[in-house]
């Protein structure tokens, strides 16, 4: 981060020259007083202004070239934290705080800002990159893969009522393990989720488990009985929870470092977008490797494309939820569900006399690429839409403060 002392001095001089009867920045400072007083650097104020919808065009009305320049003046004109300094120094009072300010100007320090920095350093460890490096969440994220693998092994070595009991117990245990992973660590988004997102998630997993068998039965004029289920894709996604957590951790930590090193909002956006694309691409590659490995298990093999597409969709949705965009995440999941349901419904609608054309697109797609092409396209299209949205939303500094 550039030398904020010189930035503060220059901005203060510029602000002094502009003060007078018409001072638009003064009203803005009063409106965002809490933000400006608690900020530890101008970029934090810029991120807050950006979150409130203030753009570079808006900054021009305050006689500044961009939001970051406006934030520098607000940072310079904000109260120096005398109250916080008095609380930290006890009986020294205002005079002591002023002496500390004078000493800080000589060596580049800002004692008056130090109490704010201390408060910033004591934020909730579960929401900071530093708190995510512990072994607590690193061990928890391995549980879903272990539970799913043991459940699949139990299903392969049992029959009848015992197999049903193992399947139900395994599903409940897997759900609990995944929930534990989402309540702590880099995948934690407490208070920033949409309840319906859980419903869409379970619906997508259910289609991945038995949707291909259902669609195939519908195309053959059925279903005439139970359709087959493929469990290995669920094992793949369960094992992939650990790489997803590490990718989310990597993105958050690197984004925060980029936020500290950036000179302005545009500079941070230029750093964040390649980082997001790299993390998503890395996770897709991990899924592409895990899928054939889990297909070596003694069970029916799952297709590569729908597993990778759905896993990537889940990662993007979780990243958006973690960083404050749960509605967008839920919309992406709901879109994938709607496309899969529409594909099955169109086949059923094609049985109505005179409506054969409704089932033609799905029949042609399945004939050309198999039933796995339907969830692959549905989840792939939704993931692509979320990726475009995330490239904009997660490249904003306000998403990481």
């Amino acid at each position: 981060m550039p030398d904020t002392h010189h930035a503060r001095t220059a901005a203060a001089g510029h602000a002094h020259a502009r003060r007078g009867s018409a001072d638009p920045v003064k009203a803005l400072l009063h409106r965002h007083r809490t933000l400006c007083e608690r900020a530890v650097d101008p970029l934090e104020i810029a991120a807050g202004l950006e979150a409130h919808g203030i753009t570079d065009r808006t900054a021009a009305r305050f006689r500044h070239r961009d939001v970051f320049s406006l934030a520098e003046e607000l940072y310079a004109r904000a109260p120096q934290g005398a109250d916080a300094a008095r609380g930290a120094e006890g009986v020294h009072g205002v005079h002591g705080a002023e002496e500390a300010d004078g000493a800080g100007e000589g060596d580049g320090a800002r004692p008056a800002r130090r109490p704010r920095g201390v408060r910033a350093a004591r934020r909730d460890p579960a929401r900071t990159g530093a708190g995510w490096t512990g072994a607590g969440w690193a061990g928890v994220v391995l549980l879903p893969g272990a539970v799913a693998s043991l459940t699949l092994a139990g299903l392969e070595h049992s029959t009848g009522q015992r197999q049903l009991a193992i399947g139900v117990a395994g599903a409940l245990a897997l759900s609990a393990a995944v929930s534990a992973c989402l309540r702590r660590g880099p995948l934690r988004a407490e208070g920033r989720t949409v309840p319906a997102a859980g419903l869409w998630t379970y619906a997508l997993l259910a289609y991945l488990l038995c949707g291909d068998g259902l669609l195939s039965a519908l195309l053959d004029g059925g279903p005439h009985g139970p359709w087959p289920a493929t469990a290995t894709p669920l094992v793949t996604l369960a094992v992939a929870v650990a790489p997803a957590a590490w990718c989310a951790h990597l993105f958050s930590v690197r984004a925060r470092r980029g936020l500290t090193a950036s000179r302005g909002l545009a500079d941070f956006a230029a750093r964040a977008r390649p980082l997001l694309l790299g993390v998503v691409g890395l996770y897709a590659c991990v899924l592409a490797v895990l899928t054939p490995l889990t297909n070596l298990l003694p069970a029916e093999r799952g297709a590569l494309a729908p597993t990778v597409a759905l896993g990537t969709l889940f990662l993007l949705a979780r990243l958006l939820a973690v960083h404050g965009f749960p509605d967008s995440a839920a919309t992406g999941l709901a879109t994938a569900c709607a496309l899969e349901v529409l594909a099955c419904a169109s086949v059923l609608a094609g049985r109505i006399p005179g409506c054969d054309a409704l089932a033609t697109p799905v029949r042609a797609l399945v004939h050309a690429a198999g039933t796995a092409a339907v969830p692959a396209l549905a989840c792939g299209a939704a993931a692509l839409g979320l990726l475009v949205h995330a490239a904009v939303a997660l490249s904003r500094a306000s998403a990481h403060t």
Side-chain angles (χ1 to χ4, degrees), residues 228-298:
T230 307
T232 50
L234 294 184
V235 178
T236 302
L237 294 180
V239 174
V241 170
W246 283 107
C247 287
H249 169 70
L250 175 65
F251 176 72
S252 297
V253 171
R254 295 295 296 271
R256 289 175 186 273
R257 290 177 182 173
L259 185 62
T260 303
S262 298
R263 179 61 179 81
L265 300 179
D267 185 19
F268 173 72
R271 296 169 182 260
R273 290 192 185 101
L275 175 62
L276 174 66
L277 295 177
V279 167
V280 173
L282 174 63
Y283 184 67
C285 292
V286 171
L287 284 172
V289 172
L290 286 177
T291 300
L293 291 179
T294 53
N295 283 339
L296 297 177
L297 297 174

Side-chain angles (χ1 to χ4, degrees), residues 144 173-183 238 241:
L174 180 59
S175 179
V178 173
S179 297
C181 296
L182 301 182
R183 287 197 300 265
V241 170

Side-chain angles (χ1 to χ4, degrees), residues 160-173:
Q161 295 296 326
R162 184 181 178 183
Q163 187 179 52
L164 178 61
I166 291 176
V168 172
L172 294 176

Side-chain angles (χ1 to χ4, degrees), residues 65-361:
R65 66 182 183 275
D66 54 31
V67 176
F68 189 75
S69 175
L70 175 61
E72 284 184 326
E73 178 171 347
L74 292 173
Y75 184 68
R77 295 174 61 174
Q80 297 296 304
D83 293 339
R86 283 198 300 269
E89 296 173 3
V91 298
H92 288 289
V94 178
H95 181 68
E98 291 174 350
E99 290 181 352
D101 287 344
E105 290 177 358
D107 58 7
R110 298 200 317 274
R113 287 284 180 181
R114 190 171 300 131
R116 299 176 193 170
V118 172
R119 287 197 301 270
R122 292 177 181 175
R123 291 172 183 169
D124 183 4
R127 301 193 183 201
T128 61
W132 288 347
T133 57
W137 66 264
V140 172
V141 295
L142 297 175
L143 289 178
V147 171
S149 300
L150 291 175
T151 301
L152 183 61
L155 292 175
E156 290 297 319
H157 294 84
S158 60
T159 57
Q161 295 296 326
R162 184 181 178 183
Q163 187 179 52
L164 178 61
I166 291 176
V168 172
L172 294 176
L174 180 59
S175 179
V178 173
S179 297
C181 296
L182 301 182
R183 287 197 300 265
R184 63 188 303 174
L187 298 179
R188 179 175 179 262
E190 184 178 353
R192 299 185 297 276
T193 57
V194 176
L199 176 62
W200 310 136
T201 299
Y202 282 114
L204 289 170
L205 291 175
Y207 191 96
L208 187 67
L209 176 66
C210 55
D212 289 348
L214 172 61
L215 182 59
S216 179
L218 291 175
L219 291 172
D220 292 338
H224 303 292
W227 53 87
T230 307
T232 50
L234 294 184
V235 178
T236 302
L237 294 180
V239 174
V241 170
W246 283 107
C247 287
H249 169 70
L250 175 65
F251 176 72
S252 297
V253 171
R254 295 295 296 271
R256 289 175 186 273
R257 290 177 182 173
L259 185 62
T260 303
S262 298
R263 179 61 179 81
L265 300 179
D267 185 19
F268 173 72
R271 296 169 182 260
R273 290 192 185 101
L275 175 62
L276 174 66
L277 295 177
V279 167
V280 173
L282 174 63
Y283 184 67
C285 292
V286 171
L287 284 172
V289 172
L290 286 177
T291 300
L293 291 179
T294 53
N295 283 339
L296 297 177
L297 297 174
E300 187 175 349
R301 296 182 178 181
L304 174 65
T307 306
V308 173
L310 181 57
T312 305
L313 175 62
F314 282 161
L315 176 67
L316 286 166
R318 200 62 189 178
L319 286 178
L320 286 168
V322 167
H323 292 278
F325 302 93
D327 294 331
S328 302
T331 300
L333 297 175
T335 300
C337 286
L339 291 175
E340 291 179 346
V341 170
L342 181 62
C344 294
S346 65
V347 175
L348 288 174
R351 298 179 182 180
I352 301 175
C355 298
D356 296 345
L358 295 176
T360 301

Side-chain angles (χ1 to χ4, degrees), residues 47 49-53 265 268-269 272 325 391-400:
L49 295 177
E50 180 193 44
H52 284 84
L265 300 179
F268 173 72
F325 302 93
V392 176
L394 300 186
S395 64
R396 301 175 61 187
S398 56
H400 304 273

